Amino acid sequence: MKTVRLNNGVTMPIIGFGVFQIPLEETQAAVEAALEAGYRHLDTAASYGNEEAVGAAIAASGLPRDDLFVTTKLWIQHAPTGSVEDDTKRAFDTSLRRLGLDHLDLYLIHQPLGDYYSEWRAMQQLHTEGRIRAIGVSNFHSDRLVDLIDHNEIPPAVNQIETHPFHQRVADHELMRERGVQIESWGPFAEGRNDLFTDPVLSAIAEAHATSVAQVVLRWLIQRDVVVIPKSVRPDRMAQNLDIFDFALTDDQMKQIASLDTGASLFFDHRDPAMVSRLGGRRTD
Ligand code: NDP
């Protein structure tokens, strides 16, 4: 498996398996099938409510811990104990217990909302104590990312953001390169929105390589050094989504895909006040 090297030297498989929106009762079987298909990088979150099922699949696989790269995410902490830093450490312990692990490979702040500076300070400590190999963020626009970097000791290793052919994040990606932050795509297929799987440009490129549109999209992302975590509940698609290393897109095909960028989210805007309040008000504890 191709890997990327994070800013602290940790290596991360460029393809992982995402588990958002898999029905809870199907999650363990899906993760077991993904591990069977060859995935060694898993992406979950406290807010997905399925860390225990992911942990059960890891245990059932019998794979050595060091062969796996496991990411989970911290939901917005509301300081019931009066200290967001203490709550962050508690939330981390809870996630680790649910996953049945003694350390995490990557822990992300899920949303750029609430007192994430306190959350980051707690995560820096957990990292320094050796309990998390790399710490990062998700859904951070470039201005928030730079502010976090400039006012803390440890820069995020990763920023996981919506990235797909219709929202390509070119300027954000460039800024992340300059600042040494690895870009990771969520929603690589835009969850099929905008008719991605039948898009004429992507379909023509897929036909030229005798691949699927899904494979073209993932290939396009990894050729741009973007880490991907596609989700599927179907073993045939899990295998297909890993099978993207025996063809390459030409410069012209990369340019054709570049032309699909709309520069806007297909999901929601983290700068929309109504969305900020909606997400910020959500409790997971
Ligand atoms: P994706 O863009 O990965 O799309 C998933 C959809 O694509 C499913 O409907 C799946 O259907 C379908 N699909 C998968 N593979 C294929 C294929 N080869 N051919 C045709 N259809 C296919 O959406 P996600 O939102 O799940 O994003 C991926 C991961 O990113 C998440 O699981 C999660 O881990 C992470 N994420 C993080 C967020 C954040 O805020 N940090 C937000 C959203 C996601 P089926 O399952 O039936 O195969």
Side-chain angles (χ1 to χ4, degrees):
M1 167 63 67
K2 187 175 182 302
T3 57
V4 294
R5 198 177 155 83
L6 304 180
N7 59 16
N8 65 356
V10 167
T11 55
M12 176 181 192
I14 199 160
I15 306 182
F17 182 68
V19 300
F20 181 42
Q21 298 178 128
I22 299 180
L24 188 54
E25 64 284 5
E26 290 176 37
T27 304
Q28 182 177 343
V31 176
E32 284 184 30
L35 294 171
E36 185 67 35
Y39 290 84
R40 292 294 179 267
H41 163 188
L42 303 172
D43 183 272
T44 184
S47 71
Y48 301 169
N50 60 14
E51 289 172 312
E52 269 171 3
V54 172
I58 292 172
S61 76
L63 286 165
R65 174 66 184 92
D66 288 352
D67 288 5
L68 296 171
F69 189 99
V70 182
T71 302
T72 193
K73 312 182 193 86
L74 173 77
W75 191 250
I76 305 156
Q77 296 301 298
H78 295 96
T81 66
S83 160
V84 168
E85 290 186 41
D86 288 350
D87 290 336
T88 298
K89 291 178 187 167
R90 202 156 305 152
F92 169 76
D93 285 334
T94 302
S95 285
L96 216 52
R97 181 173 43 74
R98 288 183 178 145
L99 286 161
L101 301 177
D102 65 358
H103 70 277
L104 268 186
D105 297 286
L106 179 63
Y107 198 35
L108 303 178
I109 291 182
H110 203 149
Q111 306 289 352
L113 303 173
D115 183 6
Y116 55 81
Y117 283 84
S118 295
E119 293 171 359
W120 191 252
R121 277 193 293 276
M123 284 167 60
Q124 288 184 137
Q125 276 181 28
L126 292 165
H127 174 61
T128 305
E129 289 164 10
R131 305 190 68 203
I132 313 171
R133 295 175 66 226
I135 54 177
V137 296
S138 179
N139 295 308
F140 274 52
H141 281 287
S142 290
D143 57 329
R144 295 296 84 215
L145 184 68
V146 166
D147 197 53
L148 191 74
I149 293 171
D150 287 353
H151 298 284
N152 284 285
E153 241 170 84
I154 302 178
V158 169
N159 186 16
Q160 184 184 114
I161 54 174
E162 178 189 347
T163 310
H164 48 72
F166 306 121
H167 192 23
Q168 302 191 5
R169 315 304 294 257
V170 176
D172 296 315
H173 191 175
E174 188 50 39
L175 183 279
M176 283 185 236
R177 266 193 221 281
E178 281 165 21
R179 293 293 190 133
V181 180
Q182 173 65 49
I183 184 172
E184 180 175 18
S185 148
W186 67 250
F189 307 135
E191 296 180 3
R193 292 183 188 198
N194 254 12
D195 294 331
L196 177 137
F197 294 113
T198 52
D199 178 86
V201 170
L202 298 172
S203 299
I205 296 171
E207 203 179 323
H209 289 282
T211 64
S212 68
V213 164
Q215 288 171 309
V216 166
V217 169
L218 296 175
R219 181 72 211 182
W220 167 75
L221 285 162
I222 68 158
Q223 259 181 241
R224 295 165 69 232
D225 303 319
V226 179
V227 172
V228 294
I229 44 171
K231 168 263 174 190
S232 177
V233 292
R234 289 179 37 173
D236 57 329
R237 290 178 175 172
M238 293 174 191
Q240 185 193 114
N241 295 345
L242 274 183
D243 184 16
I244 55 170
F245 294 100
D246 63 357
F247 73 104
L249 302 180
T250 64
D251 289 347
D252 181 55
Q253 290 166 338
M254 295 295 281
K255 275 191 205 135
Q256 288 178 47
I257 299 175
S259 74
L260 301 178
D261 194 7
T262 67
S265 170
L266 291 190
F267 293 85
F268 49 79
D269 183 355
H270 283 85
R271 288 171 170 155
D272 168 14
M275 183 50 71
V276 168
S277 264
R278 177 138 31 111
L279 286 174
R282 193 165 156 230
R283 299 285 200 273
T284 53
D285 43 20

